[in-house]
Amino acid sequence: MKNLASLGVAAALTLANCAGTKPAPVASTAPAAPAPTESYPKGVGLDMADLDRTVNPCDDFFQFSGGNWLRNNPVPGYASSWGPRNLLGNRTQDLLRKILEDAAANRNAPPGSNLQKVGDFYAAAMDTAAIDRAGLAPLKPELDRVAAVRDAAALRAEIIHLQDLDFGVLFRIGVDVDEKNTSQYVVQMNQGGLTLPNREFYFKTDARTEKVKTAYRAYLQELFRLQGAAPAVAQLDAATVERIETRLAKASRTPVELRDPQANYNQMTVAAAQKRYPALDVKGLLAGLQLGKAQEIIIGQPAFFDEVNAVLKTESTPDLKTYLRWHLLRGAAAALPTPFAEASFRYNQALTGAKQQASRWKRMQAVTDQTLGEAFGQLYVDQAFSPEAKAKALEMVNNIKASMAEHIQTNTWMSAPTKAEALKKLNALRVKIGYPDVWKDYSTLKITRESYLKNVLAARQWESRREAAHLGQPIDRNEWGMTPPTINAYYNPPMNEIVFPAGYLQPPFFDPKADDAINYGAIGGVMGHEMTHGFDDQGRQYDSEGNLRDWWTPADAAEFTKRAAVVGRQYDAFSPLDSVHVNGQLTMGENLADFAGLTVVYGALQKQLQQRYGNGPRPKFDGFTPEQRYFLSWAQLRRQNIRPEALRQQIATDPHSPGQYRTIGPLMNMPQFQAAFGCKEGDKMIRPAAQRAVIW
Ligand SMILES: [Zn+2]
């Protein structure tokens, strides 16, 4: 229920998953060997051929820093966006493919070992002949269960069963750290149960949304037909699902409303919840999910659950069965015969604009990573992440932390009591780098080569039960929300921790052979970003122990909000497509973290350079000063080509701004950037002083 891939609402509320749109990789360029000369070779640091020197860096730094790269690297057919993270993704995927294929070829792995499970899982996933031959047979026991439901009680039992298998029907439920008492776990229930990405898609009527809805209806009908329904019946069933989902959508909160952690924390006793939602039978639900010992639960969106209760009361059992059957088919489609996976792809195409499906091995690698990520992540780490790299990364984080402490201390608008709390929070920050100290124990999970779908269902249930077992236990601080090869990072407010998987600590973003400016501009920028999430509009509401508790004086809070609002207005004004504007409210936390991160890390780099060169000259590489390379490195990390469909989708759903604005948005406020490139007042990259945001 909790892994990041299926987090849904909870992710929007608590985890700042920070890389933005996910990479969907291809053929890669291997890094060349470094040479300790003034001119860094390709692959270490920056490739000068990527720059478009016909553009003035003070006019458009996005084009100057990467114009040639953007021209020469169109989005491949199977992807929806493309950037250097995808190129790194290709390299990672090649390495993981070798690990998985070796494991699959090994028929002598000790039964029950991680190696056996990884090998068998991947082998079964790749055996499309067996999957196609089996047809719907592996799903039949589940379909039969839904078909056998005759009354409301049996329907509730089936909802519990499908929640246990993580099909996300009607809502989401899971065990997580209690945001107002982070020394304990608590059951949390949040809105969910939709197929379209969020509520807006059900009600908007613009041409783009209509196109997505047409694809949604076609998808519904096609899966029902593939299950055996006549076209007319499939059409009726599709309409039923859309009607029920539209009811849920209407009661759902918007992505912006979900960013308010206080509003989405509503503690209720189980008895009160039982009384308020009788048709849902909260007590029975908890008992069925092995959460019966819970006395209190957190309801994210109480009004949404009023509607769930009403849906259960007013919709007929046959219609609700149709809704459940849909989510069963949809959730299993990737593990069903080829026509099911193709139908899923056609629907996703409408959302992302991808021209063709990614290769099966890439898709199955992603599923293996989601399912058994810490089992084969260990093999990845052995090959891709050294203790030296870990030490170097930790040193960078510590330098950035020291710079953040200075920024807090020298802040001109914050009062002493708020500063003291801020420093306390910074000092209490936990840092996880590379991979978990304690690996997840998969020993009770059974994986075989018999059926891919059976493996998927077994793993989902295993994960639900593992998570349920947390309730009443002490907090496990060793857990990771991302797997080691992941090219991403996160800040988790209730744990007050920043987490950097080994997958992101790779060239060109992190390279012990590159100069400091490159590392501080790229992975350093990410480290600063995650660290300062603890002090963005959302993260600042959590204290040093991760508790959702207001530690700001009213005047300081008002001042912060006023300064953050300047950033909000700046991003509202960014318009990548006709009539499409970035949503400054939705992207507020990410934009603040980019801005604060770059500011703080710049300070850390200055200290590092001072240490290395004293007051002596600082060498240029490729004709650029360290300060210039710092900003070029940041821009390299963020550069991105993206399809218009995916761009619209990102703006509607993603709390991260598009790459172009993540690149230039913070720089336009930074006097450090202006000085590095000698830009003049009036240049496009330089905001007039009165319009600049100043926070840290
Ligand atoms: Zn972030």
Side-chain angles (χ1 to χ4, degrees), residues 16-19 489-491 529-530 533 536 589-590 593-594 656 662:
N17 158 8
C18 282
Y490 65 91
Y491 173 69
H529 172 106
E530 302 306 344
H533 262 315
D536 72 21
E590 298 300 331
D594 281 343
H656 301 85
R662 295 194 70 178

